[in-house]
Amino acid sequence: MSEWVWALVRWVHLVAMAIWLGGQLFLFLVVRPVLRSQLDRPTQTQLTAAFGRRYSPLAWISLIVAILTGFAIGEHRGVAWSALVSFPSAYETLLIVKMTLVALILVLTLLHGRFIGPQLTELARSPDPRDRQRYHQLLDLSVLISTANLLLTLLIVLLSARLVA
């Protein structure tokens, strides 16, 4: 294929990563601080959940597009996928690390989106005072997972910058 086609594939890969990372940064650096300064914790949780539900389809699409275009880019660069497990080059070692981090992000995103987030939202609505402690524990876990996800994404972007060198 023409180099312009591969430039387009790389561009789509970068745009997908920008959507994934940009959404995380926006929620982490803009939305959450504003909500924290204006609202009580349960209301913050409800609004954060609403933002998350709106962003989630776009985030998943961008992540899947980034993964698919990443594999296509690897194919174009001649990566021997089966050889990644034995004596890889420096490029392939970085690629293995990047792929492992992407897999970890997938697991963390599924864990948060399917289990922790919905439970947190439910507990935030609960009038039962006994649910307050569970809510705060789950909120701490949610913040930890979200922060880890953001830091892992930033690390993946760094590794990506190194891979194109």
Side-chain angles (χ1 to χ4, degrees):
M1 278 197 250
S2 122
E3 282 306 308
W4 278 103
V5 171
W6 288 109
L8 180 63
V9 171
R10 287 189 300 275
W11 178 81
V12 168
H13 186 74
L14 292 171
V15 169
M17 282 305 300
I19 292 168
W20 174 258
L21 178 58
Q24 287 183 337
L25 288 171
F26 182 73
L27 287 171
F28 198 81
L29 299 174
V30 177
V31 172
R32 292 293 297 151
V34 169
L35 294 180
R36 244 190 320 264
S37 70
Q38 303 292 319
L39 304 168
D40 60 85
R41 285 281 176 126
T43 306
Q44 290 174 40
T45 300
Q46 296 297 325
L47 284 173
T48 301
F51 281 112
R53 283 188 300 275
R54 176 76 173 115
Y55 173 64
S56 184
L58 182 61
W60 277 108
I61 290 168
S62 68
L63 190 56
I64 290 166
V65 167
I67 290 168
L68 294 174
T69 55
F71 277 113
I73 292 166
E75 285 289 318
H76 178 66
R77 289 196 59 142
V79 171
W81 300 107
S82 60
L84 289 182
V85 293
S86 61
F87 307 110
S89 66
Y91 177 88
E92 291 167 333
T93 300
L94 283 177
L95 188 57
I96 290 169
V97 171
K98 183 180 171 186
M99 290 169 50
T100 302
L101 295 177
V102 169
L104 182 55
I105 281 176
L106 285 170
V107 169
L108 290 175
T109 301
L110 280 170
L111 175 67
H112 193 276
R114 298 292 177 232
F115 301 105
I116 294 170
Q119 285 180 26
L120 192 59
T121 303
E122 186 177 316
L123 288 170
R125 290 187 197 128
S126 174
D128 188 341
R130 294 174 295 184
D131 287 337
R132 289 290 103 205
Q133 181 180 5
R134 179 75 181 127
Y135 168 80
H136 288 289
Q137 290 171 340
L138 210 53
L139 181 63
D140 290 344
L141 181 59
S142 173
V143 169
L144 178 67
I145 288 174
S146 297
T147 302
N149 220 340
L150 175 60
L151 293 174
L152 289 170
T153 301
L154 289 168
L155 182 55
I156 287 169
V157 171
L158 175 63
L159 293 175
S160 297
R162 179 61 186 97
L163 284 172
V164 295

